[in-house]
């Protein structure tokens, strides 16, 4: 074995090789066409060990099995072209201490020795660098990349069978790649879908919440984002989709988001059904009146199933509705979605037999009518329904008769508005389930309701419909007590006298029983006779009625307002008297309300030696005169002045509403106790001009 100092015998300066000795790479030099090993530096020896000099490299490296490596020396020696071999694996005998395969990068180039004979001047310079660590790292990176591609392919395959839509966004959330699934389901092309355009395919009510939830995910970067929204489909309407997305990270930084959308409409409908049935059961708990129960159910229906809901009781007592020419219903509960007007709860209506509403009731079958937003057909429901449908831009109305013990006892109307899809058959079926679940509870309260209906019918038989008077509008309302199933003593009356004056009267006989109802009927008839018999001021007529009440009924007492609307100076004036009754309310066209107290007198049935007084009041154009009984303004534990102030406020707000709506809204807005009957009669003067 020759050392470094012995290389001078080869005719090469020792100083030349000494310069190469500390080089950070392995260096070897061969000489001649047989490639005798002339020199190896320290770095080369550390890689391959001490090798004998002066012998061909095939002998010096006889322990290496990679014979093709030596062919590279021949190629460089013959052509003079350098060769670089990268990441070349070493011989199996050249392993690391841990047994790992080693890798090298070689550079072979031709060199010339000027001090050698001409035939033996050429040789090969070898430079070598071990790259085992770099190759190992590269292989590890490649392995990770391959594994990620494998996982991605597996994930993509899983997504294809489990989701309908795949989408990709940039790190800031804007859609960055087309999604064939999205376009197939929604019909939204790439130009409209890209960026934030996907939001326009969502239901308008879901857009803000979805955008906020997505923005929070972009800011917080959770492991997975989940949300549910409604997507508009190519079939029309909306379906519920569950969206899931995961962030894709590189070096700890989000480079994109990958998400999927899965149709969950069937599961959502099933969950909603269970949720609504549970809410309906809770809403009916501890409800003692049919109005409260139906009102609670209406609040469950809106806004989950519809944007507006009304519940009507069928007050017509005929068992065979097919033979009837009209149907009487009373609206007792309403509900409306956010931003929509709410119909008054209390409104009794007599509907013609050819109305669609009546046909649905007679057939005891649900009925669904769809129409352009805000353009309902004219005969779709009771008075006020069409106006509400127009104002709310409704697009459909479902009518569901509710049967109790084989008889239609109530009718539910449910409307959808704007671009919300119609309630559909699935929604109607859910409505039916809600009320079928309530059947037993409704049966109990309906028994009481049927008794009330009898009292209601008897009461109406004792009351007269307001007359039609040219230039004047007159409307009356009567609502029995929620706490009693007997006829009461509240009454109203209106008729036209031979002298052209129009009479309005309202009164209340103490008690809620048959005796009070009989006394009420008799007093009303006596008053009619007294008014027609003589043209006396209202106060004088009430004086005579007081004497008759004291004489004929003993301890019975009653209250009354008697008013004459008389032509005067091209307009009208009010001549009135009040006997122990709440004062009349006069509301101007501008909405200013004032109670008329000048004609106040004691109640009827109490000894009073003096004449009852009368008072006159001009009735300005467009004014509304309202007579009412105390059930409208009295509440237990509350001062009567509070109820009167509330009535004046609500009536002022409704001063220009149609008179029918005026009465219904006043009755609905007042927080009545339900412990007393309510009677109302209102008169509207011709408007200004």
């Amino acid at each position: 074995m020759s050392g470094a100092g012995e290389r001078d015998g080869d005719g090469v300066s020792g100083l030349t090789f000494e310069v190469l000795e500390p080089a950070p790479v392995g260096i070897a030099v061969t000489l001649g066409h047989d490639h005798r090993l002339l020199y190896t530096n320290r770095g080369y020896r550390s890689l391959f060990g001490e090798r004998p000099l002066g012998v061909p490299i095939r002998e010096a490296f006889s322990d290496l099995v990679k014979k093709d490596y030596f062919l590279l020396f021949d190629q460089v020696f013959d052509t003079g072209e350098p060769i670089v071999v990268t990441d070349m694996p070493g011989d199996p005998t050249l392993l690391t201490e841990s047994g790992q395969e080693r890798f090298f990068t070689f550079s072979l180039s031709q060199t010339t020795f000027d001090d050698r004979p001409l035939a033996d001047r050429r040789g090969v310079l070898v430079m070598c660098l071990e790259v085992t660590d770099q190759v190992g790292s590269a292989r590890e990176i490649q392995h990770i990349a391959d594994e990620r591609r494998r996982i991605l392919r597996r994930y993509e395959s899983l997504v294809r069978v489990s989701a309908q839509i795949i989408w990709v966004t940039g790190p800031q959330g804007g859609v960055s790649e087309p999604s064939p699934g999205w376009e197939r389901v929604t019909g939204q092309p790439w130009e409209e879908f890209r960026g934030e355009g996907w939001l326009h395919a969502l239901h308008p009510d879901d857009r803000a919440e979805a955008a906020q939830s997505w923005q929070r995910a972009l800011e917080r970067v959770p492991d997975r984002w989940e949300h549910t929204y409604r997507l508009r489909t190519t079939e029309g309407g909306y379906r519920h989709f569950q969206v899931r997305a995961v962030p894709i990270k590189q070096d700890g930084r989000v480079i994109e988001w990958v998400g999927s959308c899965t149709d969950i409409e069937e599961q959502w409908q099933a969950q909603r059904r269970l949720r609504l049935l549970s809410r309906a059961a809770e809403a009916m708990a501890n409800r003692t009146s049919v109005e409260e129960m139906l009102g609670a159910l209406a609040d469950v229906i809106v806004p989950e199933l519809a944007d507006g809901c009304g519940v009507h009781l069928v007050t017509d007592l005929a068992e065979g509705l097919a033979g009837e020419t009209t149907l009487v219903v009373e609206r007792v509960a309403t509900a409306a979605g956010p931003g929509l007007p709410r119909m008054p709860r209390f409104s009794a209506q007599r509907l013609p037999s050819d109305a669609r509403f009546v046909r649905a009731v007679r057939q005891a079958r649900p009925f669904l009518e769809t129409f352009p937003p805000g353009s309902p057909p004219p005969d779709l429901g009771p008075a006020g329904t069409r106006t509400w449908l127009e104002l709310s831009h409704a697009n459909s109305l479902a009518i569901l008769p509710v049967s109790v013990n084989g008889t239609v006892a109530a009718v539910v109307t449910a409307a959808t508005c704007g671009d919300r899809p119609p309630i559909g058959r699935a929604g109607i079926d859910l409505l039916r389930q809600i009320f079928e679940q309530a059947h037993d509870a409704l049966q109990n309260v309906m028994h009481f309701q049927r008794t009330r209906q009898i009292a209601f019918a008897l009461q109406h038989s004792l009351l007269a419909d307001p007359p039609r008077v040219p230039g004047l509008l007159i409307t009356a309302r009567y609502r029995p007590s929620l706490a009693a199933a007997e006829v009461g003593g509240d009454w109203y009356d209106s008729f036209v006298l031979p002298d052209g004056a129009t009479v309005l009267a309202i009164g209340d006989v103490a008690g809620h029983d048959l005796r009070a109802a009989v006394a009420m009927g008799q007093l009303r008839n006596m008053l009619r006779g007294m008014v027609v018999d003589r043209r006396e001021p209202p106060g004088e007529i009430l004086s005579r009625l007081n004497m008759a009440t004291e004489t004929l009924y003993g301890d019975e007492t009653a209250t009354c307002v008697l008013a004459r609307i008389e032509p005067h100076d091209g307009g009208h004036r009010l001549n009135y008297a009040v006997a122990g009754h709440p004062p009349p309310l006069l509301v101007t066209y501008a909405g200013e309300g004032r109670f008329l107290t000048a004609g106040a007198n004691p109640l009827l049935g109490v000894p009073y030696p003096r004449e009852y007084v009368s008072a006159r009041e001009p009735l300005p154009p467009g004014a509304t005169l309202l007579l009412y009984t105390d059930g409208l303004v009295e509440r237990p534990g509350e001062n009567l002045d509070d109820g009167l102030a509330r009535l004046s406020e609500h009536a002022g707000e409704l001063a220009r509403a149609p008179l029918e709506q005026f009465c219904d809204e006043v009755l609905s807005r007042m927080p009545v106790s339900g412990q007393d009957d309510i009677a109302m009669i209102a008169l509207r003067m011709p408007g200004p001009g």
Side-chain angles (χ1 to χ4, degrees):
M1 179 82 55
S2 298
E6 298 178 8
R7 297 184 179 90
D8 292 339
D10 293 329
V12 180
S13 171
L15 181 60
T16 302
F17 289 127
E18 289 177 359
V19 172
L20 301 178
E21 191 68 17
V25 297
I27 299 176
V29 180
T30 66
L31 184 66
H33 67 275
D34 55 353
H35 310 302
R36 299 185 305 277
L37 185 61
L38 185 63
Y39 170 77
T40 60
N41 76 340
R42 184 189 310 156
Y44 200 92
R45 295 193 297 273
S46 67
L47 294 175
F48 303 106
E50 294 286 349
R51 299 290 172 170
L53 303 180
V55 300
I57 58 172
R58 287 179 173 82
E59 296 180 17
F61 291 90
S62 60
D63 55 335
L64 299 181
V65 298
K66 293 186 177 298
K67 305 304 181 183
D68 53 349
Y69 171 70
F70 301 120
L71 298 178
L72 300 177
F73 282 80
D74 295 336
Q75 182 178 343
V76 172
F77 187 87
D78 295 338
T79 65
E81 297 292 332
I83 294 177
V84 177
V85 181
T86 59
D87 301 343
M88 178 179 177
D91 188 86
T93 61
L94 297 175
L95 303 178
T96 64
E97 293 181 358
S98 62
Q100 179 184 359
E101 185 180 25
R102 298 170 71 181
F103 293 86
F104 304 90
T105 291
F106 290 94
S107 170
L108 290 80
S109 58
Q110 192 182 87
T111 184
T112 303
F113 297 90
D114 295 335
D115 57 350
R116 292 282 180 177
L118 185 61
D120 200 24
R121 286 184 178 182
R122 288 182 298 159
V124 176
L125 174 66
V126 182
M127 302 183 71
C128 177
L129 180 67
E130 182 173 6
V131 291
T132 301
D133 292 340
Q134 293 89 325
V135 170
S137 299
R139 287 190 172 186
E140 181 66 22
I141 292 173
Q142 184 63 39
H143 174 74
I144 294 174
D146 292 342
E147 183 66 20
R148 285 182 175 179
R149 280 193 292 269
R150 224 173 8 253
I151 293 174
L152 183 58
R153 286 194 297 269
R154 187 182 307 136
Y155 175 73
E156 289 174 345
S157 300
L158 178 62
V159 165
R160 287 192 187 98
V161 299
S162 63
Q164 294 176 312
I165 300 172
I166 304 297
W167 49 266
V168 178
T169 77
Q172 303 304 318
V175 174
S176 58
E177 297 181 13
S179 172
W182 182 277
E183 184 170 355
R184 183 180 64 254
V185 172
T186 67
Q188 190 180 40
W190 164 238
E191 293 74 15
E192 298 177 6
F193 172 52
R194 66 191 306 171
E196 307 301 328
W198 59 275
L199 283 167
H200 297 295
L202 272 60
H203 191 285
D205 293 344
D206 296 348
R207 291 172 189 168
E209 183 179 356
Q212 293 170 4
S213 178
W214 177 230
Q215 184 60 38
R216 287 195 297 269
L218 295 175
E219 294 171 356
R220 301 173 184 176
V221 191
D223 293 336
R224 181 172 66 178
W225 175 64
E226 291 188 1
H227 194 71
T228 298
Y229 50 55
R230 287 167 289 179
L231 273 182
R232 183 186 64 245
T233 67
T234 55
E235 299 174 355
Y238 294 86
R239 294 181 67 85
H240 286 82
F241 279 75
Q242 184 179 58
V243 56
R244 293 175 176 172
V246 294
I248 306 301
K249 298 181 180 180
Q250 182 175 318
D251 299 330
R253 181 175 57 88
V254 177
I255 59 174
E256 65 182 11
W257 289 77
V258 178
S260 67
C261 297
T262 304
D263 189 331
I264 59 167
E265 182 66 24
E266 301 303 326
Q267 303 95 300
W268 189 89
Q269 292 289 355
Q271 293 172 0
R272 180 178 70 161
R273 180 177 294 104
L274 294 176
R275 184 177 68 253
L276 288 183
L277 291 176
S278 176
R279 285 184 54 197
E282 294 176 1
M284 291 187 299
N286 302 321
R287 306 289 182 178
T288 58
S289 71
V290 66
E291 286 86 355
E292 291 179 340
M293 185 174 297
L294 295 177
L297 293 180
D299 289 335
V300 171
I301 293 169
V302 175
E304 282 281 357
L305 285 175
D307 297 308
C309 179
V311 186
H312 306 73
L313 292 180
V314 178
T315 57
D316 194 313
L317 297 178
E319 296 295 335
L321 292 174
E324 297 297 313
T325 58
T326 60
L327 176 70
V328 179
V329 296
E330 182 184 11
R331 187 169 56 239
V332 296
T334 62
L340 295 177
R342 185 164 184 162
M343 294 185 68
R345 285 182 300 154
F346 302 127
S347 177
Q349 302 286 331
R350 185 178 297 274
L351 305 176
S353 59
D354 58 348
R356 304 184 195 203
F357 188 95
V358 177
R359 292 202 302 269
V361 174
R362 287 179 174 171
Q363 297 171 6
R365 295 173 56 186
F367 175 81
L368 176 64
E369 180 77 13
T370 59
F371 41 85
S375 301
D379 60 344
L380 200 52
T385 300
R386 183 181 181 187
T387 301
W388 187 92
L389 295 173
E390 292 174 343
L391 292 175
S392 303
H393 295 91
N395 57 47
S396 73
L397 182 70
I399 302 174
L400 175 68
V402 179
S403 297
V404 176
N405 296 333
T407 301
V408 176
V411 184
V412 182
T413 57
T416 55
C417 302
D419 58 359
R420 181 173 185 170
I423 191 170
R425 292 298 170 185
I428 292 177
D429 288 341
L430 184 50
L431 278 178
R432 183 189 291 111
Q433 291 181 39
I434 290 175
F435 282 89
E436 285 177 352
Q437 176 180 268
H439 179 273
D440 291 343
L442 286 173
Q443 182 178 2
N444 294 333
V445 296
M446 282 298 181
H447 176 72
F448 178 75
Q449 177 65 23
R450 296 294 285 181
T451 306
R452 283 184 62 212
Q453 288 177 352
I454 296 174
F456 189 74
L458 289 175
Q459 192 85 27
H460 270 281
S461 69
L462 300 174
L463 303 175
D465 291 333
R468 295 180 179 272
V469 182
L472 302 178
L473 295 176
I474 304 174
T475 295
R477 293 287 185 268
Y478 176 80
R479 179 151 189 84
S481 166
L482 300 179
E486 298 178 339
V487 292
D490 289 29
W491 59 276
Y492 60 80
D493 201 359
S494 179
F495 49 90
V496 180
L497 295 175
D499 62 0
T502 300
V503 174
L504 299 184
I506 197 165
D508 184 4
V509 176
H512 293 92
D513 52 21
L514 184 60
R515 180 177 178 180
V518 171
M520 176 270 289
Q522 292 174 341
L523 280 176
R524 190 194 69 138
N525 290 335
M526 281 194 297
L527 180 61
R528 275 194 158 208
M530 292 178 182
V531 172
V532 174
D533 181 54
R534 302 180 187 178
R535 296 184 181 179
E536 296 174 328
E540 296 181 16
I541 295 175
L542 289 185
S543 292
R544 290 195 287 128
L545 184 62
N546 179 46
M547 185 183 303
T549 302
E550 183 182 357
T551 302
L552 299 176
Y553 300 106
D555 295 334
E556 295 286 352
T557 59
T559 65
C560 181
V561 176
L562 178 61
R564 283 171 51 96
I565 292 82
E566 306 166 341
H568 181 71
D569 291 340
H572 294 81
R573 70 178 179 184
L574 174 66
N575 192 354
Y576 72 100
V578 179
H581 199 87
L585 175 62
L586 180 63
V587 182
T588 67
Y589 184 76
E592 298 175 355
R594 179 166 56 90
F595 290 102
L596 307 181
T597 58
N601 301 281
L603 54 79
L604 302 174
V606 175
Y608 188 67
R610 297 195 298 271
E611 288 284 335
Y612 281 24
V613 299
S614 302
R616 290 183 172 86
E617 183 75 28
L619 296 174
T624 302
L625 176 67
L626 177 64
L627 310 183
Y628 53 93
T629 56
D630 54 7
L632 185 65
V633 292
E634 286 186 348
R635 296 181 68 189
E638 182 181 78
N639 191 292
L640 178 60
D641 290 340
D642 295 335
L644 293 173
R646 191 181 301 118
L647 173 61
S648 179
E649 178 183 357
H650 291 317
E653 294 171 352
L654 298 165
R656 300 191 186 185
L659 193 59
E660 295 277 351
Q661 181 184 349
F662 174 91
C663 292
D664 290 339
E665 289 281 2
V666 166
L667 191 56
S668 298
R669 293 187 185 187
M670 292 296 290
V672 297
S673 67
Q675 304 299 312
D676 199 359
D677 300 345
I678 299 174
M680 296 168 48
I681 187 165
L683 176 139
R684 173 70 55 79
M685 303 303 300

